[in-house]
Amino acid sequence: DTGVSQDPRHKITKRGQNVTFRCDPISEHNRLYWYRQTLGQGPEFLTYFQNEAQLEKSRLLSDRFSAERPKGSFSTLEIQRTEQGDSAMYLCASSLEGLGNTEAFFGQGTRLTVV
Amino acid sequence: DQQVKQNSPSLSVQEGRISILNCDYTNSMFDYFLWYKKYPAEGPTFLISISSIKDKNEDGRFTVFLNKSAKHLSLHIVPSQPGDSAVYFCAASRRTSGSRLTFGEGTQLTVNP
């Protein structure tokens, strides 16, 4: 297992189109997180899953955003009717609950550009 | 509401000297703190962490100090190396909230040869 994998690395889309990103976490990790990062800012929390259950969603996650984690493995993040303000780096991270340390391991991100 | 703040957008140091990166937080419920390093076009990489029950944690060249009364933490890198040049993010979490991380804005560290 080489770490958290995200696909695609880059996505350019026209305003109003739908996009979907995929994240494959480290295989034994039961927690999966989505963050968004814009230029000059740190990553901002969007949502997280424990196994297949989505336990928390940020108020940043408007109703155009939906995330799933079927079977508690990979996750998808879909943005419907994209807007220019959605342009950002979307980061996925995973962690293993219960080790006592709770550092999350990040993927390389998907950079979304809405034109 | 910026709960974690890194007030220095950039820091430049000479190779071999100490780098000190600072971070302040406002939420007293945070009980776990982390530093991540990020190179361009890559995701953040975990560097070092500290629990609120400690005031210092050391790992090789990296040491994190936590001052709970001042709600302040710092990362010391000594000796600094050119390969340390990256953006450093401070992050905080509450273990009871699923370990979601709240990040600072980041500090660009440049280590000059």
Side-chain angles (χ1 to χ4, degrees):
Chain A
D1 191 347
T2 56
V4 179
S5 176
Q6 292 188 246
D7 183 71
R9 293 288 307 279
H10 304 274
K11 178 71 176 179
I12 300 175
T13 190
K14 291 184 178 179
R15 191 173 51 190
Q17 298 293 305
N18 298 345
V19 294
T20 300
F21 310 140
R22 177 181 170 119
C23 171
D24 288 273
I26 294 172
S27 57
E28 64 268 25
H29 284 184
N30 55 0
R31 284 188 174 162
L32 186 147
Y33 309 83
W34 286 98
Y35 290 82
R36 180 174 68 187
Q37 185 179 16
T38 53
L39 196 62
Q41 300 296 317
E44 295 176 292
F45 171 79
L46 293 178
T47 188
Y48 97 94
F49 294 82
Q50 179 146 322
N51 300 311
E52 65 275 11
Q54 188 173 18
L55 296 187
E56 188 176 355
K57 293 196 293 187
S58 163
R59 57 184 166 79
L60 294 175
L61 211 65
S62 77
D63 56 5
R64 296 185 297 105
F65 288 70
S66 62
E68 294 182 343
R69 192 184 183 196
K71 303 178 183 178
S73 55
F74 72 93
S75 175
T76 58
L77 177 68
E78 180 183 19
I79 309 174
Q80 296 182 327
R81 304 181 304 280
T82 53
E83 302 172 356
Q84 286 187 321
D86 297 331
S87 296
M89 174 75 82
Y90 290 83
L91 293 162
C92 177
S94 68
S95 69
L96 182 62
E97 178 200 16
L99 275 183
N101 50 9
T102 55
E103 55 265 26
F105 295 86
F106 283 82
Q108 292 184 300
T110 294
R111 179 163 295 284
L112 173 67
T113 302
V114 182
V115 297
Chain B
D1 177 20
Q2 188 67 28
Q3 298 187 65
V4 178
K5 284 198 68 64
Q6 295 176 253
N7 290 314
S8 298
S10 63
L11 175 67
S12 183
V13 299
Q14 281 300 117
E15 181 178 6
R17 305 295 292 271
I18 185 171
S19 297
I20 300 176
L21 297 101
N22 294 302
C23 177
D24 297 290
Y25 63 96
T26 57
N27 189 340
S28 58
M29 300 298 290
F30 288 141
D31 56 12
Y32 197 69
F33 303 90
L34 309 90
W35 285 93
Y36 283 82
K37 179 170 71 173
K38 186 180 184 302
Y39 294 116
E42 295 184 10
T45 302
F46 169 74
L47 200 54
I48 192 169
S49 63
I50 187 167
S51 165
S52 60
I53 62 174
K54 295 184 176 181
D55 55 18
K56 177 183 174 181
N57 188 27
E58 190 173 353
D59 183 2
R61 297 186 297 115
F62 303 91
T63 303
V64 56
F65 295 92
L66 175 62
N67 182 334
K68 287 191 293 294
S69 61
K71 295 191 178 66
H72 177 84
L73 65 155
S74 61
L75 174 68
H76 292 209
I77 306 173
V78 55
S80 301
Q81 300 173 354
D84 296 328
S85 298
V87 178
Y88 288 78
F89 290 101
C90 168
S93 74
R94 296 170 53 187
R95 296 195 199 210
T96 56
S97 68
S99 303
R100 54 173 283 185
L101 297 172
T102 301
F103 283 87
E105 306 93 326
T107 297
Q108 171 71 57
L109 173 65
T110 302
V111 180
N112 301 302

